[in-house]
Amino acid sequence: ISFNSVESALSSLKNCQSYINTGMDIATHVALDLVESFNDVEDVDSIEKVMLEYAAMDRELNHYMRAIEETVNQIKREKPENIPDLKCLVKQKFTALESNNSDSDLQRNEKFMYFKDQLKEMKQQYNDNEAIEQIDEDIAVTQSQMNFICPITQMEMKRPVRNKVCGHSYEEDAILKIIQTRKQQKKKVRCPKIGCSHVDVKVSDLVPDEALKRAIDSQNKQ
């Protein structure tokens, strides 16, 4: 049995998935723009609903691709004499996967979690800026600038990345260089932030810290 057409269909579905990921990235940036410019809670809430819809599409697509892959692997293992009804088998597996769906699945979507994390940080930065007017400005600016300093380079960050595990941020090039060096030495990387107990920083744990970058850019414009 030839599975060329099935593999071609899977490739197209993976392209669809990349469009969903791009849509989620754009929605995240728009939400951050809204917080930064207007702090419009209602509009931000509507974008959160859009993100959950994207997460639902992503889950459905993942289940469909998994159903196809499992069906193909099953046929390859069993090598039946007659060609089975692929469409029916895929539908059965897909329905079984979908039957276990829950709202918490969507909340655990990686892009949605990143959206919530960046939104929280952006709102915090926004509130910090509001507080500057109420306390000594020099103290507030100094405190804010300390958060902008990379724990590795001790310089203001230009491209901050955030560690999903411990929540600390570093200059992207600096942390990647450390990870690469330690990898060659076959050693783990401890989080460079003083006092952090996280001892195994991985490249896969790092995400762009868009909210922090915006806060640094905003500070530099003033």
Side-chain angles (χ1 to χ4, degrees), residues 191-208:
C191 173
K193 186 77 173 177
I194 293 172
C196 182
S197 59
H198 183 46
V199 293
D200 190 11
V201 181
K202 298 185 178 75
V203 174
S204 57
D205 296 333
L206 306 175
V207 291

Side-chain angles (χ1 to χ4, degrees), residues 28-47:
T28 300
H29 279 87
V30 170
L32 294 177
D33 285 341
L34 288 168
V35 174
E36 188 174 25
S37 307
F38 313 109
N39 205 27
D40 194 320
V41 175
E42 198 173 313
D43 282 345
V44 172
D45 286 345
S46 69
I47 291 178

Side-chain angles (χ1 to χ4, degrees), residues 164-222:
K164 291 186 290 184
V165 179
C166 62
H168 293 127
S169 296
Y170 334 98
E171 181 65 53
E172 184 177 30
D173 288 346
I175 189 66
L176 290 179
K177 193 176 285 184
I178 289 176
I179 292 172
Q180 184 61 33
T181 303
R182 291 294 169 88
K183 189 178 178 182
Q184 288 169 353
Q185 297 169 346
K186 296 184 178 176
K187 291 180 180 176
K188 291 182 178 179
V189 178
R190 174 183 280 279
C191 173
K193 186 77 173 177
I194 293 172
C196 182
S197 59
H198 183 46
V199 293
D200 190 11
V201 181
K202 298 185 178 75
V203 174
S204 57
D205 296 333
L206 306 175
V207 291
D209 198 337
E210 179 69 23
L212 182 57
K213 185 178 188 306
R214 285 168 184 249
I216 293 169
D217 291 345
S218 174
Q219 178 78 29
N220 290 336
K221 283 176 189 170
Q222 289 174 10

Side-chain angles (χ1 to χ4, degrees), residues 25-214:
D25 288 340
I26 292 168
T28 300
H29 279 87
V30 170
L32 294 177
D33 285 341
L34 288 168
V35 174
E36 188 174 25
S37 307
F38 313 109
N39 205 27
D40 194 320
V41 175
E42 198 173 313
D43 282 345
V44 172
D45 286 345
S46 69
I47 291 178
E48 183 168 332
K49 288 173 187 168
V50 169
M51 288 291 287
L52 286 169
E53 286 171 15
Y54 271 128
M57 283 191 279
D58 186 58
R59 177 180 63 188
E60 188 175 344
L61 199 55
N62 274 327
H63 283 167
Y64 195 61
M65 288 192 292
R66 186 175 156 191
I68 293 171
E69 287 167 350
E70 285 183 3
T71 302
V72 167
N73 289 336
Q74 182 185 334
I75 293 167
K76 283 179 177 177
R77 273 197 318 271
E78 295 174 0
K79 298 176 183 174
E81 290 181 16
N82 300 316
I83 298 172
D85 187 338
L86 271 175
K87 190 175 178 181
C88 182
L89 287 172
V90 168
K91 189 176 179 182
Q92 285 174 1
K93 287 186 184 293
F94 174 72
T95 304
L97 288 167
E98 287 281 292
S99 67
N100 294 319
N101 285 351
S102 70
D103 289 343
S104 61
D105 296 341
L106 306 182
Q107 302 283 341
R108 287 195 300 268
N109 176 283
E110 193 168 339
K111 292 271 183 188
F112 182 76
M113 287 167 67
Y114 175 70
F115 166 81
K116 293 290 284 183
D117 176 64
Q118 289 289 287
L119 212 55
K120 181 182 173 186
E121 191 181 339
M122 194 74 188
K123 285 176 180 174
Q124 192 176 330
Q125 298 286 358
Y126 183 90
N127 291 333
D128 285 349
N129 288 341
E130 295 274 303
I132 285 176
E133 297 170 9
Q134 295 162 22
I135 59 176
D136 186 287
E137 192 166 333
D138 289 338
I139 295 171
V141 170
T142 304
Q143 185 62 44
S144 179
Q145 285 173 340
M146 279 173 66
N147 298 330
F148 300 165
I149 301 299
C150 170
I152 304 164
T153 65
Q154 294 302 310
M155 293 171 68
E156 186 177 89
M157 290 179 269
K158 291 183 173 61
R159 292 180 61 182
V161 289
R162 185 180 176 88
N163 190 324
K164 291 186 290 184
V165 179
C166 62
H168 293 127
S169 296
Y170 334 98
E171 181 65 53
E172 184 177 30
D173 288 346
I175 189 66
L176 290 179
K177 193 176 285 184
I178 289 176
I179 292 172
Q180 184 61 33
T181 303
R182 291 294 169 88
K183 189 178 178 182
Q184 288 169 353
Q185 297 169 346
K186 296 184 178 176
K187 291 180 180 176
K188 291 182 178 179
V189 178
R190 174 183 280 279
C191 173
K193 186 77 173 177
I194 293 172
C196 182
S197 59
H198 183 46
V199 293
D200 190 11
V201 181
K202 298 185 178 75
V203 174
S204 57
D205 296 333
L206 306 175
V207 291
D209 198 337
E210 179 69 23
L212 182 57
K213 185 178 188 306
R214 285 168 184 249

